[in-house]
Amino acid sequence: MTKKLLKIESLPNYIDGSWTEGNEFTSVINPANGKKIVNVPLSNDEDVDVTVKAAQAAQKKWALVPAPQRAEILYNIGQLMKERKDDIARLLTLENGKVLEEARGEVQEGIDMAFYMAGEGRRLFGQTTNAELPDKFAMSVRSPVGVVGIITPWNFPIAIATWKTFPALIAGNAVVWKPATETPIMAYELAKICEEAGLPKGLLNVVYGSGSSVGDAMVHHPDIHVISFTGSNETGIRIAEACGRQLKKYSLELGGKNAVIVMEDADLDLAVEGIIWSAYGTSGQRCTACSRVIVHEDVKEKLEGKLLEQIKTLKVGNGLEDGIVMGPIINEAGLEKIKKYIEIGKNEGARLLTGGNELSITSSEDGYYFEPTLFTDATIDMRIAQEEVFGPVISIIPVNSFDEAIEANNSVSYGLSSSIFTNDVNRVYRAQRDLDTGIVYVNAGTTGAEIHLPFGGTKGTGNGHRDSGIQALDVFTEWKAIYVDYSGKLQRAQIDVE
Ligand code: UN1
């Protein structure tokens, strides 16, 4: 059934409204069974250059289209995504591995973003204010930046793309998009929808290829005015350095080392559900995944017992099959990284309670699977408690007080998401104030961000920008201050005020 959903052998780039065949290709692999799904082009800097020129021309016209009219196209896009939600979700599971239910949730995130940003077409508010001189008017408006470059990861290949593309488009920009080569089908599906929805050519362009060729060419292109990137810290820092030298605006959404805090008064069953869902959903390959559990000593053993009981029941396998709750790891390199961290954890003295091994699934022999894994007795200085594993691995860190829990949470170099389970209202308010992350949950796991709130984090998680929410518009617009003097004479600011 899924095979029929994708009827081509090789994905084309989508440049200036044309489906452009590639010259060189790499294979896209289904992580659930190791089988090839389709070819994806490996484009080069010339492809990027051609695309940017087309995008520039298209953007000039688009910027003059009233935003409520731009919005009509976004509404169409949202509607088409809604109609095709199931098909898109199946293709997402095929290329990414996450279970179908989660894939549907991810597509929904994109639909929500389309309608939310379409609504912005009738807002995009600026500010009017008072001028300091008589017969003078002052206001500030958002204006588009021009051509924006977006570089998206494989773990949320459609949701994250919409967080960046839709605010960019509604604000009057053109987009050059390089999706991850592991998950290019979502870009193909979204580009088809944009074309059908009536988006003028050249406004959304998809250029497939590696980070070192296409990504690099985008980052260095003088006519791409913003780079919005979600991915690894290593690449993010390289992008920041290159953009910094060009005084180019950049927005980075990088790693996380997110914790669930479980206090002694918590509803432990609820905490267990929250931990399992946010640690093992998408096989732990979320920036927001719970990879640390900071637990009060008084309930540590009880919590461990309950977690172990639940973990035993988790069915791992091909995400398209019924009853599977955890799918595969994206690829061999992802598996190797997880295995490396299991060894690091053991050598550091963390105690492995369950898991820790690659899994073979009889129905999907050549897939990349890993057991849901639980370490305990980790300490905050261990690498397993500090570094991002990007897999289904939890480390339990025991503490003796609320203050110690907050300190443990904040001890990492990242600051994306955190969570606390407690029924003490004073602790709730203290925690939301003192947890040093961009997202805080109370009595819920570390995942589940909604698109109309800002998504992003503090410290090593990024450079202070936010994806999604109204705040995403700040990445894709410049503020312009406008003064209209209708006095008919020269009025000097700061001087003629007395
Ligand atoms: C990511 O992991 O990069 O809150 C995105 C969540 C999802 C988005 C995750 N809504 O986990």
Side-chain angles (χ1 to χ4, degrees):
M1 178 179 179
T2 311
K3 262 227 151 82
K4 271 194 258 150
L5 289 175
L6 193 68
K7 297 183 188 85
I8 51 173
E9 295 289 313
S10 298
L11 296 168
N13 282 329
Y14 184 60
I15 299 174
D16 199 18
S18 297
W19 298 98
T20 316
E21 296 301 327
N23 295 319
E24 274 179 72
F25 297 92
T26 186
S27 302
V28 181
I29 302 297
N30 178 351
N33 58 21
K35 292 204 176 92
K36 178 174 159 179
I37 310 168
V38 70
N39 291 316
V40 59
L42 290 173
S43 314
N44 56 35
D45 48 357
E46 279 168 35
D47 300 312
V48 172
D49 200 41
V50 167
T51 311
V52 173
K53 287 204 170 70
Q56 265 187 310
Q59 192 270 332
K60 286 206 172 70
K61 292 186 206 147
W62 183 239
L64 300 179
V65 174
Q69 287 179 37
R70 291 181 212 143
E72 289 305 318
I73 295 172
L74 274 182
Y75 281 121
N76 293 345
I77 292 172
Q79 188 55 37
L80 287 168
M81 289 177 78
K82 207 169 160 182
E83 284 162 20
R84 294 183 200 165
K85 180 172 168 178
D86 282 333
D87 287 354
I88 299 172
R90 281 187 169 272
L91 287 167
L92 171 50
T93 296
L94 193 71
E95 65 175 358
N96 166 281
K98 65 178 66 180
V99 298
L100 199 49
E101 191 184 22
E102 286 188 56
R104 286 173 52 83
E106 183 182 337
V107 180
Q108 187 59 46
E109 236 176 298
I111 297 167
D112 294 342
M113 196 64 183
F115 291 130
Y116 177 59
M117 279 298 150
E120 262 322 294
R122 287 189 184 268
R123 286 185 293 267
L124 282 177
F125 292 135
Q127 296 129 4
T128 58
T129 184
N130 295 291
E132 64 185 35
L133 290 156
D135 296 332
K136 190 178 173 189
F137 184 76
M139 64 184 162
S140 53
V141 298
R142 288 187 186 276
S143 51
V145 290
V147 178
V148 312
I150 74 168
I151 303 175
T152 54
W154 50 261
N155 70 332
F156 274 78
I158 193 152
I160 292 179
T162 66
W163 295 355
K164 299 179 190 297
T165 309
F166 297 163
L169 288 175
I170 198 66
N173 301 286
V175 176
V176 178
W177 174 18
K178 187 201 96 59
T181 42
E182 290 87 346
T183 53
I185 300 172
M186 287 302 98
Y188 177 59
E189 292 302 310
L190 196 56
K192 277 194 298 183
I193 284 178
C194 288
E195 183 179 51
E196 277 178 58
L199 187 71
K201 67 184 185 116
L203 292 176
L204 175 77
N205 304 277
V206 178
V207 186
Y208 295 113
S210 69
S212 57
S213 64
V214 174
D216 216 50
M218 285 167 63
V219 167
H220 287 97
H221 201 292
D223 295 321
I224 290 186
H225 305 298
V226 177
I227 293 288
S228 176
F229 168 79
T230 298
S232 72
N233 280 63
E234 207 190 352
T235 308
I237 289 167
R238 277 213 308 275
I239 290 174
E241 283 170 354
C243 288
R245 277 195 300 273
Q246 304 164 77
L247 297 180
K248 184 179 287 194
K249 193 172 175 183
Y250 58 95
S251 166
L252 305 175
E253 207 50 70
L254 310 173
K257 188 70 189 174
N258 316 293
V260 167
I261 296 172
V262 183
M263 294 311 298
E264 73 279 21
D265 66 320
D267 175 337
L268 287 191
D269 292 321
L270 183 63
V272 166
E273 277 189 72
I275 292 165
I276 298 274
W277 169 238
S278 57
Y280 299 140
T282 318
S283 309
Q285 303 169 109
R286 291 185 187 226
C287 308
T288 51
C290 159
S291 66
R292 301 181 293 153
V293 170
I294 298 165
V295 62
H296 194 283
E297 281 280 9
D298 289 358
V299 290
K300 174 179 170 262
E301 258 178 53
K302 229 175 167 181
L303 184 78
E304 285 171 358
K306 284 177 183 285
L307 280 170
L308 283 171
E309 239 172 74
Q310 276 302 310
I311 291 171
K312 262 190 251 149
T313 68
L314 300 179
K315 268 188 92 180
V316 181
N318 185 331
L320 287 174
E321 287 168 19
D322 283 343
I324 299 295
V325 292
M326 194 173 99
I329 304 302
I330 189 74
N331 55 25
E332 188 69 45
L335 264 187
E336 288 308 316
K337 185 176 175 199
I338 298 166
K339 285 196 234 165
K340 183 185 93 179
Y341 273 104
I342 300 298
E343 288 315 304
I344 290 173
K346 284 183 189 164
N347 292 336
E348 287 175 315
R351 196 155 54 85
L352 188 62
L353 285 181
T354 186
N357 301 300
E358 193 174 341
L359 249 182
S360 90
I361 304 287
T362 33
S363 61
S364 299
E365 247 170 47
D366 293 320
Y368 310 109
Y369 295 95
F370 203 83
E371 292 174 334
T373 297
L374 184 62
F375 277 110
T376 192
D377 297 333
T379 53
I380 55 170
D381 52 317
M382 291 180 181
R383 287 181 66 190
I384 193 80
Q386 285 284 334
E387 297 173 18
E388 190 175 43
V389 179
F390 230 57
V393 182
I394 304 173
S395 299
I396 295 180
I397 303 165
V399 291
N400 284 301
S401 67
F402 173 79
D403 289 343
E404 215 189 306
I406 300 285
E407 207 182 300
N409 179 81
N410 294 347
S411 72
V412 292
S413 62
Y414 297 108
L416 183 53
S417 179
S418 53
S419 133
I420 182 163
F421 282 85
T422 179
N423 286 315
D424 178 334
V425 69
N426 296 338
R427 281 174 169 172
V428 168
Y429 277 90
R430 280 192 197 119
Q432 60 81 27
R433 182 193 62 196
D434 295 339
L435 291 169
D436 188 4
T437 52
I439 307 171
V440 173
Y441 292 93
V442 175
N443 292 329
T446 56
T447 62
E450 301 177 23
I451 58 91
H452 52 300
L453 277 83
F455 182 93
T458 61
K459 302 189 282 186
T461 288
N463 66 329
H465 289 287
R466 293 293 183 268
D467 270 336
S468 85
I470 205 75
Q471 292 76 4
L473 291 171
D474 291 336
V475 175
F476 301 111
T477 54
E478 293 280 2
W479 280 108
K480 187 179 280 183
I482 299 165
Y483 303 94
V484 180
D485 192 319
Y486 55 97
S487 68
K489 59 181 188 231
L490 174 69
Q491 300 198 89
R492 296 170 303 172
Q494 293 91 38
I495 295 171
D496 296 330
V497 287
E498 282 153 31

